[in-house]
Amino acid sequence: MLNSPISEIVFRDRRFFVKRDDLLDRDFSGNKARKFYYFLKNDFSGIKNLVSFGSSQSNAMYSLSVLAKIKNWKFYYFTNHISSFLKNNPHGNYKKALENGMNIFESRFDFMRELAKREDTLFIKEGGALKEASFGIEILAKEILSFAKERGFKNLAVFLPSGTGTTALYLQKFLPFRVYTCACVGDEEYLKKQFGELEDKNFFPKILKLDKKYHFGKLYAEFYAVWRELKEKTGIEFDLLYDPKGWLTLLGHLKEFENREILYIHQGGLIGNESMLRRYERKFKEKLC
Ligand SMILES: *Cc1c(COP(=O)(O)O)cnc(C)c1O
């Protein structure tokens, strides 16, 4: 673990550095690995079950299935709905989590609450938005700091797209540099509310916005286009759920960073690309071929 190099890329005539948390580990990678590192490293004797909830293709679900497997815990995961297409054609995070022994339940939240009360059960909130996440993110911050020192970057700008905002928030807490983000799930107000549940305003990252509203999980031609251009021009595959909005936002605000180096945090999520790519291919059939 903790093999996360920093790549230097040139994209649309500008230099960026990319922190490669996608390369951390074959099974336990991306920001979920950072967020759940606390649970990996500490002793939880007495715990037998891991319980969480969220969407049936989530990156967090897959990473928790890996954690449960390593820790020898039984993994119970609760979701509102699993589409019949996914049930009949398991793929992506869903398939991999099932292979790791996940027990998935549709809308049995009564059972979830019952399990969560048990002393031998660890309950983790959707998306891993918890204080314990700071443990692994502080290590990420230290890696960034030592890179900046080595290169003599005193005014580095750090950018990463947010879901719950947990990663961006703790990075801002542990770094002397300004951290910039954008809201992918919900709007800016939602994101600030999420920040506020974990820390006070001093540690809030700066939220950058685009004029156009995008809805989480929906497909947009410009998302696919920037994702593909990045892959072709830099050789790096980014995630298709958060990174397209992240890059469009960053590219739309480059004036703010004119004399500064930018570090983009690659937060993994590549197993999820399998399901996203299938959806894109179905939706834009004519255009992609
Ligand atoms: C979960 C995830 C995010 C969002 O992380 P938060 O800490 O919830 O903001 C961003 N990118 C990828 C690839 C993720 O898996």
Side-chain angles (χ1 to χ4, degrees), residues 31-32 35 59 161-167 239 242 267-269:
N31 78 347
K32 302 306 178 294
K35 284 159 84 166
N59 297 330
S162 279
T164 65
T166 312
T167 313
D239 134 281
Y242 299 90
Q267 302 178 87

Side-chain angles (χ1 to χ4, degrees), residues 161 184 226-227 230 237-248 264-268 270:
C184 295
V226 76
W227 176 85
L230 278 159
E237 179 175 345
F238 286 90
D239 134 281
L240 266 165
L241 200 52
Y242 299 90
D243 286 327
K245 184 163 182 195
W247 275 102
L248 288 182
Y264 188 100
I265 314 291
H266 192 321
Q267 302 178 87
L270 298 188

Side-chain angles (χ1 to χ4, degrees), residues 26-61:
R26 200 175 58 100
D27 299 313
F28 203 54
S29 77
N31 78 347
K32 302 306 178 294
R34 301 287 190 178
K35 284 159 84 166
F36 301 143
Y37 198 55
Y38 174 86
F39 300 100
L40 182 72
K41 281 289 143 182
N42 287 286
D43 183 31
F44 287 89
S45 48
I47 292 295
K48 293 196 175 71
N49 307 310
L50 177 64
V51 174
S52 189
F53 66 98
S55 100
S56 57
Q57 273 296 15
S58 104
N59 297 330
M61 172 190 76

Side-chain angles (χ1 to χ4, degrees), residues 71-108:
K71 291 287 203 174
N72 218 355
W73 295 332
K74 211 165 164 177
F75 179 37
Y76 295 90
Y77 189 78
F78 296 83
T79 191
N80 279 320
H81 178 66
I82 310 167
S83 73
S84 48
F85 174 76
L86 187 57
K87 276 185 199 161
N88 296 327
N89 309 276
H91 59 279
N93 286 316
Y94 175 77
K95 178 168 186 243
K96 297 258 186 182
L98 286 176
E99 284 167 6
N100 286 334
M102 168 178 71
N103 301 283
I104 191 164
F105 298 88
E106 265 178 288
S107 69
R108 290 276 316 278

Side-chain angles (χ1 to χ4, degrees), residues 7-9 11 14-18 247 250-251 254 262:
S7 305
E8 186 173 332
I9 61 168
F11 187 66
R14 144 123 225 188
R15 172 159 80 158
F16 299 90
F17 294 90
V18 180
W247 275 102
L250 179 57
L251 293 166
L254 287 181
I262 300 173

